[in-house]
Amino acid sequence: MTKFMKSHHFGGIDMKQILCIGELLIDFFTTQTEQSIIEATTFEKQAGGAPANVAAAIAKLGGQAYFCGKVGDDAFGHFLKQTLEHAGVHTDQLIFDSTAPTTLAFVSRQASGERDFIFNRGADELLCIEDLNLQHLMSINMIHFGSATALLSEPFSRTYEQLMQTLLLQNHFISFDPNYRADLWKHDTEQFIQKCEPFLEAAHFIKMSDEELMLLSRAESFEQAIEWLSQFSDKTIAITQGADGTVLVQNGKITTVPPNRVNCIDSTGAGDAFVGAVLYELSKRDETNLFFNEWVNIIEFANFVASKVCEKVGAIDALLALEDLQQ
């Protein structure tokens, strides 16, 4: 067991519930290497959706994770519900829509590393505020907004922001991951930036990749982008850089937390596992009153959890329970 795994068991504070809201969908990955979707003939079905991955990571670590989103009332939708429940996620707020199919994504990877991507949008974009059990949602302590698709179109985009503003007024702890996907926003990155701004203002914890930092800051250098973050002095921000580790920024303090070195097979879901690990740790503590060195320990743990996901193929299937991480 690593030194930071030994130090991550605290008593005296009840573990808080965490809600992850966003898309839940089917990813169909071609099993044929270096084949475009046009050429590929075989695909493998996997549960997908960034907030669903985060919820599964929290639950597998032993946290209390809830998922809120919409799927079709079809075989794919029920498969996704079973997948989340098998991971230990509460699905009370998963809504089935009989009028729309479950959202599907078809993905292949080219020899260059670029993705060939077809996105068939379905039920996930139809989530309305009227669908939600707000009384139940208001009782959940921590909320994570990290959807790759929620900001794309109405009514989901409106629902996402309405819920965020409502929870902010009720003093809930808010986590945000921009989850930029170039395949979805390549024609309108400016709209993506504008739609992220209210969430950046509201969130207490923000996780973004170095690519997202450069995009959202509109900076010409990484140093300028870090300077742009100084306006968010009341927030804790983690900038993930893959093999270069994670930059932690909080209240004028900044440090780079080194990565956990592994033989990376597939990085799919690593960022979501990172967020899940952070939120799991925060759910055991007074998340509003942590010293900087405590945050460093949390990020070190999150780097470790994310690195273990990279050793396997897939997202939810690659997540490990806490006891398995300790081996």
Side-chain angles (χ1 to χ4, degrees):
M1 188 189 303
T2 62
K3 63 182 177 65
F4 49 89
M5 290 295 290
K6 288 179 180 179
S7 65
H8 283 254
H9 298 277
F10 294 86
I13 297 178
D14 292 333
M15 188 174 290
K16 303 177 186 70
Q17 298 173 339
I18 307 167
L19 173 72
C20 301
I21 178 171
E23 79 275 357
L24 179 60
L25 51 82
I26 299 289
D27 281 322
F28 282 104
F29 292 95
T30 178
T31 58
Q32 297 160 284
T33 59
E34 300 181 12
Q35 294 285 314
S36 70
I37 291 179
I38 294 175
E39 300 163 331
T41 57
T42 57
F43 292 82
E44 181 178 273
K45 176 186 68 176
Q46 292 187 15
N53 294 339
V54 173
I58 294 165
K60 285 198 171 186
L61 289 170
Q64 298 189 56
Y66 292 75
F67 177 80
C68 179
K70 182 174 277 192
V71 294
D73 190 6
D74 51 31
F76 289 138
H78 288 279
F79 161 76
L80 291 168
K81 181 176 188 287
Q82 291 175 8
T83 301
L84 285 185
E85 290 178 344
H86 182 72
V89 177
H90 296 277
T91 58
D92 313 63
Q93 296 296 315
L94 177 62
I95 297 158
F96 288 93
D97 191 320
S98 61
T99 68
T102 298
T103 298
L104 308 177
F106 295 84
V107 186
S108 70
R109 290 194 180 275
Q110 306 301 297
S112 63
E114 293 296 314
R115 295 196 309 173
D116 193 14
F117 182 89
I118 295 177
F119 190 56
N120 289 334
R121 197 80 188 269
D124 84 287
E125 71 176 334
L126 301 179
L127 187 69
C128 298
I129 201 76
E130 293 78 14
D131 292 323
L132 306 178
N133 182 342
L134 290 176
Q135 184 176 0
H136 180 219
L137 297 186
M138 291 302 142
S139 70
I140 297 177
N141 312 94
M142 304 173 68
I143 313 293
H144 174 64
F145 293 91
S147 172
T149 68
L151 302 179
L152 278 171
S153 59
E154 303 295 353
F156 200 178
S157 177
R158 182 172 60 253
T159 302
Y160 220 58
E161 186 164 354
Q162 284 178 332
L163 183 58
M164 180 270 291
Q165 296 290 356
T166 301
L167 292 165
L168 185 62
L169 290 173
Q170 297 293 324
N171 295 318
H172 288 67
F173 182 89
I174 293 175
S175 164
F176 178 58
D177 180 350
N179 261 312
Y180 175 70
R181 297 291 183 268
D183 303 294
L184 301 177
W185 291 96
K186 55 188 174 185
H187 300 302
D188 204 351
T189 55
E190 186 59 34
Q191 183 184 19
F192 172 79
I193 294 170
Q194 292 175 6
K195 287 195 171 188
C196 282
E197 287 173 350
F199 292 88
L200 294 173
E201 290 292 334
H204 303 89
F205 170 70
I206 301 168
K207 177 268 178 191
M208 63 179 82
S209 67
D210 46 6
E211 175 193 14
E212 289 163 345
L213 172 62
M214 297 302 296
L215 178 69
L216 292 169
S217 67
R218 301 183 177 91
E220 296 182 358
S221 69
F222 188 75
E223 291 72 23
Q224 289 178 349
I226 293 295
E227 178 62 28
W228 173 79
L229 290 177
S230 62
Q231 67 183 293
F232 304 115
S233 58
D234 59 335
K235 309 176 190 305
T236 301
I237 304 171
I239 312 298
T240 54
Q241 299 181 291
D244 292 327
T246 302
V247 176
L248 176 65
V249 180
Q250 183 195 57
N251 197 25
K253 296 181 180 179
I254 181 170
T255 190
T256 298
V257 182
N260 187 62
R261 302 294 180 185
V262 294
N263 178 26
C264 184
I265 297 174
D266 178 18
S267 62
T268 301
D272 300 327
F274 177 95
V275 175
V278 169
L279 295 178
Y280 164 72
E281 283 297 318
L282 292 178
S283 74
K284 301 186 296 182
R285 315 177 186 214
D286 178 2
E287 73 281 358
T288 62
N289 191 29
L290 295 177
F291 293 111
F292 190 71
N293 66 316
E294 293 179 279
W295 270 105
V296 171
N297 290 337
I298 290 172
I299 299 302
E300 187 181 24
F301 174 69
N303 281 350
F304 176 73
V305 172
S307 72
K308 302 305 287 185
V309 169
C310 295
E311 293 181 330
K312 295 183 178 181
V313 176
I316 292 178
D317 289 343
L319 295 167
L320 294 177
L322 187 64
E323 58 266 25
D324 295 323
L325 287 168
Q326 293 171 345
Q327 295 177 1

